[in-house]
Amino acid sequence: MLRDVTTQSDTAATEATVSILVQVRDLRPQDLPACTWSGSATHLRHVERELARAAAGEADYLAVCTPVGVPVAIGGVDYQVSEGAGTLWQLAVLPALQSSGLGTLLVRAAEGRIRDRGLHRAELAVEEDNPRARALYERLGYVAYGREPDAWDEEGPDGSVRRHETMCVLMGKNL
């Protein structure tokens, strides 16, 4: 639902601010073609495998969607990584909509899922070279408690797959 539109105009450019209602729901396999902004085909195959884990109750995978059901932010909560905690992972917001509050909404919804399971801690890892994401998590109350290396397969523009290795800051929050 379109809530409001504000426009400003001058001779050089026209700008508009549009507000819409979004909803958070489970990500579904049929959503994946609309999520190509979140990563490569290799990444989306991995997300598809994680949806099977979600169906088995081992994880939750959430989508923040527009009124027509298009995902504009996605991310998961894994309940198998750390005993007594939900681990947030693969959090992503459509690049054109970053810094609009969707990441905050996604994290808060994930924390709600963790609490719904009777757990009282959320954890995540953020790459050291991603200060923007780390700043968001700190604003939401996450505190760094360590660091560890991580790695995953990453698909290049030519379709080749290489191993991406990085160092991550481990963060946690009591819920």
Side-chain angles (χ1 to χ4, degrees), residues 48-154:
E48 187 172 32
R49 286 191 302 273
E50 295 304 324
L51 291 178
R53 291 186 60 233
E58 298 173 3
D60 282 315
Y61 216 107
L62 306 175
V64 178
C65 297
T66 67
V68 294
V70 176
V72 291
I74 62 173
V77 182
D78 193 324
Y79 301 105
Q80 306 295 304
V81 174
S82 182
E83 189 172 335
T87 301
L88 284 66
W89 96 116
Q90 294 184 346
L91 303 173
V93 175
L94 180 71
L97 297 177
Q98 290 177 355
S99 297
S100 66
L102 295 173
T104 297
L105 178 63
L106 179 62
V107 170
R108 292 194 191 283
E111 291 171 350
R113 294 288 182 99
I114 293 167
R115 281 191 295 276
D116 288 348
R117 287 189 178 232
L119 302 174
H120 302 286
R121 182 156 176 86
E123 297 179 346
L124 55 83
V126 60
E127 288 184 83
E128 285 185 333
D129 65 355
N130 191 349
R132 187 174 179 183
R134 182 173 176 173
L136 167 65
Y137 304 139
E138 288 172 343
R139 279 194 310 275
L140 295 176
Y142 287 79
V143 176
Y145 66 86
R147 44 192 305 265
E148 72 179 14
D150 199 357
W152 55 84
D153 289 337
E154 188 173 73

Side-chain angles (χ1 to χ4, degrees), residues 25-52 54 61-63 65 69-76 90 94:
R25 63 166 169 77
D26 290 330
L27 185 69
R28 301 183 291 237
Q30 59 266 33
D31 294 324
L32 294 179
C35 295
T36 57
W37 54 264
S38 72
S40 67
T42 298
H43 168 74
L44 290 176
R45 283 191 299 274
H46 182 74
V47 172
E48 187 172 32
R49 286 191 302 273
E50 295 304 324
L51 291 178
Y61 216 107
L62 306 175
C65 297
V70 176
V72 291
I74 62 173
Q90 294 184 346
L94 180 71

